[in-house]
Amino acid sequence: MAGEASTSRRKRQRVPSIGENGGGDAVARSGTLFELDLLDCPICCHALTIPIFQCDNGHIACSSCCSKLRNKCPSCALPIGNYRSRIMERVVEAVIVPCPNAKHGCTEKFSYGKELVHEKECRFALCYCPAPNCNYSGVCKDLYRHYNANHRDTWNEFGCGNSIGAWLRISDKILVLQEYRDGPLVAVQCFKEREGVYVTVNCIAPSAVGVGEFSYELSYRTPMGGRDTMRYKSEKMNRIQKVSFQIPEKGFMLVPHYFLGDWSTLKMEICICKLKKEEQQDEADDEADEEEDDEEEEDDDDEEDDDDEEE
């Protein structure tokens, strides 16, 4: 009986490899992992990346943690960092996850852990409205339309390549400029400190290629017809997804107090220019919008033709 039971036991079916069963297609199996946290390093809690190491008791750790722990397993004190956990490396490579911004339109997929690097440069990353008491957030193009529809100020619009006045009340701390036609938003901020007033210029956009890429030149002249002028030029404007009021550590123009006099307003001039990548991306977006409009018109014409035939 024991022999019969062992021979009749159902074995797990092996997945055929390429070329088996007379075909050229591989049969792939898939499953669901409900707890992605299992693929995080148990020490630093960051996503596991290759190489992954294990001790003789099977405890795992990422390479950076092994170095920090001086190759001593925190769970059992055995050496760790000499032997790779090959099976865990294969599992991590096999798990494919979507971009965290998939619900906003991104279709990219990555091996677990690599999506975090992409998220910082994803063009679908959320950006936040800089208007006071507004909680709107969305992808950058939607944000620009929202701002134009709800917070538009025609006095603070700019055209690339043209110098405009940027008058910023120091007490307001922020001046938002917008390019014409629902264009990108640029936040000019000031921070009054003991040394003087720090002035920063940032485009509200994700750090994606071809999005919000500008250069700019900022100038300030001493008030009351003064002859002294300060200039600050940046070949590439910094990009932020959300306005912050923390004192900047770099990328600012410092206006000394003796340059301000008794004035409470910074009367500056700014010239913003697009980088070539941004111009090319704008042209591509315009072409895509035109194609969508053409398709909609064709669909409308087809519907009209169908109605005429029914009549």
Side-chain angles (χ1 to χ4, degrees), residues 128-134 136 143 147 151 174 176 185 187 204 243 245:
Y128 297 82
C129 184
N133 304 317
C134 182
Y136 179 87
L143 171 62
Y147 193 90
H151 312 290
I174 185 171
V176 180
L185 297 173
I204 301 177
V243 168
F245 289 93

Side-chain angles (χ1 to χ4, degrees), residues 114-182:
K114 294 183 179 179
E115 80 279 4
L116 301 178
V117 177
H118 162 79
E119 184 181 11
K120 297 177 182 178
E121 301 176 349
C122 179
R123 64 188 298 112
F124 292 94
L126 289 183
C127 295
Y128 297 82
C129 184
N133 304 317
C134 182
N135 297 320
Y136 179 87
S137 63
V139 296
C140 60
K141 285 201 169 185
D142 291 342
L143 171 62
Y144 302 156
R145 295 189 188 102
H146 158 82
Y147 193 90
N148 184 68
N150 298 278
H151 312 290
R152 184 183 178 189
D153 185 351
T154 55
W155 289 101
N156 293 321
E157 293 181 340
F158 71 90
C160 286
N162 299 321
S163 293
I164 63 166
W167 290 22
L168 172 57
R169 237 184 262 146
I170 297 176
S171 59
D172 289 343
K173 299 182 180 180
I174 185 171
L175 171 69
V176 180
L177 306 175
Q178 184 168 29
E179 189 183 9
Y180 298 115
R181 290 181 11 183
D182 298 341

Side-chain angles (χ1 to χ4, degrees), residues 53-64:
F53 295 95
Q54 67 177 23
C55 69
D56 288 344
N57 282 331
H59 301 125
I60 61 173
C62 65
S63 58
S64 60

Side-chain angles (χ1 to χ4, degrees), residues 6-304:
S6 63
T7 55
S8 62
R9 185 181 301 152
R10 185 178 179 182
K11 294 183 179 180
R12 185 173 181 177
Q13 186 176 3
R14 183 172 64 87
V15 178
S17 59
I18 297 176
E20 291 187 3
N21 297 332
D25 296 331
V27 180
R29 292 180 299 175
S30 62
T32 302
L33 181 64
F34 290 100
E35 295 185 31
L36 285 175
D37 292 348
L38 295 174
L39 303 181
D40 293 341
C41 174
I43 300 169
C44 65
C45 297
H46 293 158
L48 284 168
T49 55
I50 297 173
I52 303 170
F53 295 95
Q54 67 177 23
C55 69
D56 288 344
N57 282 331
H59 301 125
I60 61 173
C62 65
S63 58
S64 60
C65 284
C66 288
S67 301
K68 293 176 183 177
L69 295 169
R70 297 182 180 180
N71 291 25
K72 185 177 181 180
C73 178
S75 299
C76 63
L78 288 177
I80 189 171
N82 297 321
Y83 301 105
R84 301 266 291 271
S85 178
R86 301 289 183 179
I87 185 62
M88 197 63 190
E89 291 179 355
R90 290 183 63 186
V91 170
V92 169
E93 279 190 318
V95 174
I96 304 298
V97 295
C99 169
N101 297 312
K103 60 183 177 182
H104 305 304
C106 185
T107 58
E108 298 286 344
K109 294 183 179 180
F110 308 88
S111 296
Y112 182 71
K114 294 183 179 179
E115 80 279 4
L116 301 178
V117 177
H118 162 79
E119 184 181 11
K120 297 177 182 178
E121 301 176 349
C122 179
R123 64 188 298 112
F124 292 94
L126 289 183
C127 295
Y128 297 82
C129 184
N133 304 317
C134 182
N135 297 320
Y136 179 87
S137 63
V139 296
C140 60
K141 285 201 169 185
D142 291 342
L143 171 62
Y144 302 156
R145 295 189 188 102
H146 158 82
Y147 193 90
N148 184 68
N150 298 278
H151 312 290
R152 184 183 178 189
D153 185 351
T154 55
W155 289 101
N156 293 321
E157 293 181 340
F158 71 90
C160 286
N162 299 321
S163 293
I164 63 166
W167 290 22
L168 172 57
R169 237 184 262 146
I170 297 176
S171 59
D172 289 343
K173 299 182 180 180
I174 185 171
L175 171 69
V176 180
L177 306 175
Q178 184 168 29
E179 189 183 9
Y180 298 115
R181 290 181 11 183
D182 298 341
L185 297 173
V186 173
V188 183
Q189 293 179 263
C190 67
F191 307 82
K192 189 175 183 179
E193 295 297 321
R194 185 176 59 184
E195 302 86 358
V197 178
Y198 294 83
V199 183
T200 62
V201 180
N202 299 296
C203 180
I204 301 177
S207 298
V209 176
V211 179
E213 294 187 328
F214 295 99
S215 63
Y216 71 94
E217 183 171 339
L218 186 68
S219 62
Y220 172 78
R221 177 176 292 181
T222 51
M224 302 300 292
R227 298 180 178 179
D228 297 327
T229 302
M230 296 185 65
R231 296 185 187 278
Y232 182 86
K233 187 174 183 179
S234 176
E235 295 297 331
K236 189 170 184 180
M237 187 184 299
N238 185 43
R239 290 173 288 181
I240 57 174
Q241 292 171 234
K242 188 175 184 178
V243 168
S244 170
F245 289 93
Q246 293 183 347
I247 300 173
E249 296 181 355
K250 59 181 181 179
F252 57 82
M253 180 174 75
L254 177 61
V255 181
H257 286 299
Y258 64 82
F259 253 58
L260 295 171
D262 297 328
W263 286 66
S264 59
T265 300
L266 290 170
K267 296 184 177 181
M268 303 173 289
E269 285 194 0
I270 188 169
C271 180
I272 301 172
C273 297
K274 285 184 180 179
L275 301 183
K276 290 184 178 180
K277 291 180 180 179
E278 175 74 13
E279 292 177 352
Q280 293 171 355
Q281 185 63 45
D282 283 349
E283 291 175 0
D285 291 341
D286 290 341
E287 290 177 0
D289 291 339
E290 289 177 2
E291 289 178 0
E292 289 180 2
D293 293 339
D294 292 340
E295 289 177 359
E296 290 177 359
E297 290 178 2
E298 290 177 1
D299 292 339
D300 293 339
D301 292 340
D302 292 340
E303 289 178 2
E304 290 178 1

